[in-house]
Amino acid sequence: MTVTTPHSGASRRNLPHAPFLQAIRGEQPSRRPVWFMRQAGRSLPEYRALRANVAMLDSCFQPELAAEITLQPVRRHDVDAAIFFSDIVVPLKAAGIPIDIVPGRGPVVDMPVADRAAIDALPSLAPEQLAPIHEAVRLTLDGLTDTQVLIGFAGAPFTVASYLIEGGPTKTHQRTKALMHGDPESWHSLMRTLTDYIITFLKVQINAGVDAIQLFDSWAGFLPDRDYRTFVAPYSQEIFAAVAAAAPGLPRIHFGVTTGELLGSMALTGPDVMGVDWRVDMAAAAQRINAALGEEVHSSLRQAAGTDSVGADGSASDAALLGSSAHQPGDIVLQGNLDPALLAAGPTIIDREINHLVRTTDELIATGQIRGHIVNLGHGVLPDTRAEDITRAVATIHSV
Ligand code: 1CP
């Protein structure tokens, strides 16, 4: 096998005909691009067969296995992007923090990191410790055509911190919020360390050649906007800036669940593409994001001919608080936002949902409110979704 190092800085692929990238560039894609969060793993029988005797986190450090699992849904469903098979806690594991992924539960940390001493004792992470990740990305790229992109990813510091502090999945984020508000200095110190891990994790994937990256702040929606901006946004912003510096022009996607109230602030951290969960209509999402980006949405669809500025309600201060995004109103690409539960509700219902979604986003594009749209779910594929229902939905999306 070829020996590569995480520093070997493979050049990025040039993919003029990839529909996913065409949509992000604001071109007319050769077909409507679609991929699904959590498309790898979970619902696929061929995944369960491969993983039968390998623990989840171990599989992430086996390059051939991780590459094969990444490619399975692309082969089976003909989606336009592969999401790299890994996990948001992989950089923690690579740094030597005792962490496991327990089947049916999720990431579990034996000794939660919830006070200053534990935060100060966190190890550092060097790119060499992620060599298998670099290798897995290289192997995956060998299996993709030049119309299929590979999306690298990381969890954002808040979402990763919640597992470290709580010791596992939580429905309340009680301890996380207690640290954030009760000991802000320690909170910021933890976020600093995690930001460094995450930038290292993303740079390893970027140097190995991924075509885009997605930053998952899955649980940010548990925070009010004020806390999000004070305690979380500056770190996500730093990560997007580091990616832009490492790979100018590499598309950057941001996503979280139940983030309807945060879409504007999240967009200000600097992504090119905003993932939207299924609770928010795409037209409302575009409006909120454009308002935050600092100007009124110029849409012939708006009832009032009004020249009133959406930005006058405080979005200017958003920009001042967070620093300016590279994007202007109308410039953002949206990703999402079919309800994952409806993938299993039968062809009539999912086809109706797809039609509503693409009618809405086509109109947003035509009226200059968004630059493009990538079809996805509003969160991950539910574990008991039938593979055939996914394949069928992809074919419908390509045909409308
Ligand atoms: O044994 C198994 O199959 C474990 C299930 C599983 C899988 C397939 C876990 C445990 N992680 C993964 C892979 C994974 N995780 C991917 C790549 C595959 C793909 O997307 O197709 C990605 C992008 C993730 C990212 C991830 N892990 C997120 C962010 C995305 C999201 O869904 O919000 C989060 C929050 C995690 C933590 C995690 N890892 C695994 C589980 C079950 C969870 C969530 C637990 C919880 O509810 O807190």
Side-chain angles (χ1 to χ4, degrees):
M1 189 193 306
T2 350
V3 178
T4 55
T5 76
H7 288 306
S8 69
S11 59
R12 262 162 62 203
R13 303 193 298 163
N14 178 29
L15 306 174
H17 305 299
F20 174 97
L21 295 174
Q22 289 171 327
I24 291 177
R25 289 193 296 260
E27 298 164 6
Q28 176 71 44
S30 51
R31 68 180 188 182
R32 199 180 288 279
V34 55
W35 69 279
F36 291 145
M37 291 184 278
R38 297 291 184 95
Q39 67 190 15
R42 293 206 167 191
S43 52
L44 295 188
E46 59 267 37
Y47 165 76
R48 289 196 283 268
L50 270 185
R51 277 277 327 282
N53 298 308
V54 192
M56 171 64 199
L57 274 177
D58 291 344
S59 68
C60 296
F61 288 87
Q62 295 182 21
E64 282 87 1
L65 194 55
E68 174 57 22
I69 295 172
T70 303
L71 293 168
Q72 283 178 340
V74 181
R75 272 189 224 119
R76 187 193 259 261
H77 305 308
D78 189 27
V79 282
D80 300 287
I83 177 85
F84 180 55
F85 180 79
S86 193
D87 195 81
I88 61 170
V89 299
V90 160
L92 305 179
K93 174 87 174 172
I97 298 167
I99 189 159
D100 196 12
I101 292 185
V102 176
R105 188 151 177 239
V108 172
V109 185
D110 289 342
M111 303 223 301
V113 176
D115 60 24
R116 190 59 197 234
I119 292 167
D120 287 347
L122 285 170
S124 57
L125 174 65
E128 291 73 17
Q129 291 166 280
L130 289 161
I133 304 304
H134 177 96
E135 187 58 28
V137 168
R138 300 293 292 259
L139 290 173
T140 307
L141 288 169
D142 288 344
L144 293 171
T145 69
D146 60 7
T147 57
Q148 299 164 334
V149 301
L150 176 60
I151 303 169
F153 76 91
F158 170 77
T159 292
V160 176
S162 91
Y163 290 102
L164 269 184
I165 297 167
E166 309 277 348
T170 169
K171 289 197 163 67
T172 60
H173 299 264
Q174 210 167 349
R175 294 195 184 101
T176 310
K177 291 180 180 184
L179 182 74
M180 179 186 274
H181 287 278
D183 185 358
E185 215 178 292
S186 295
W187 170 263
H188 286 295
S189 170
L190 175 59
M191 294 300 269
R192 244 304 11 94
T193 302
L194 294 178
T195 297
D196 291 345
Y197 288 174
I198 291 158
I199 290 173
T200 301
F201 185 44
L202 287 172
K203 279 192 181 169
V204 166
Q205 298 173 60
I206 290 167
N207 284 340
V210 294
D211 306 302
I213 63 97
Q214 176 156 326
L215 189 65
F216 284 94
D217 212 349
S218 297
W219 312 140
F222 280 88
L223 295 172
D225 192 48
R226 195 161 52 99
D227 291 350
Y228 174 77
R229 289 202 224 153
T230 306
F231 295 107
V232 175
Y235 301 99
S236 300
Q237 188 177 26
E238 185 178 334
I239 292 164
F240 283 125
V243 170
L250 186 84
R252 297 161 301 167
I253 312 169
H254 204 7
F255 169 77
V257 189
T258 334
T259 45
E261 296 294 329
L262 301 183
L263 283 172
S265 295
M266 289 178 75
L268 287 177
T269 64
D272 310 296
V273 181
M274 276 298 298
V276 181
D277 94 352
W278 71 92
R279 295 169 183 86
V280 188
D281 190 80
M282 286 303 220
Q287 200 165 18
R288 289 173 197 181
I289 290 166
N290 285 331
L293 290 175
E295 265 181 36
E296 73 168 26
V297 183
H298 60 287
S299 162
S300 57
L301 295 178
R302 287 183 75 184
Q303 312 132 339
T307 49
D308 54 316
S309 165
V310 182
D313 67 0
S315 56
S317 60
D318 288 351
L321 188 69
L322 293 169
S324 59
S325 157
H327 293 289
Q328 303 295 313
D331 221 13
I332 206 87
V333 175
L334 294 185
Q335 177 172 279
N337 68 344
L338 297 166
D339 186 338
L342 295 184
L343 259 188
T348 314
I349 293 172
I350 192 65
D351 287 0
R352 191 190 63 204
E353 292 298 306
I354 291 168
N355 273 302
H356 168 76
L357 175 64
V358 304
R359 267 204 321 274
T360 306
T361 53
D362 281 352
E363 190 147 353
L364 291 170
I365 295 170
T367 53
Q369 297 181 68
I370 60 174
R371 183 203 286 263
H373 175 223
I374 295 159
V375 181
N376 203 313
L377 303 177
H379 195 192
V381 173
L382 297 172
D384 57 356
T385 310
R386 294 187 320 156
E388 303 74 51
D389 287 338
I390 302 177
T391 309
R392 197 190 158 280
V394 171
T396 304
I397 290 157
H398 284 153
S399 74
V400 292

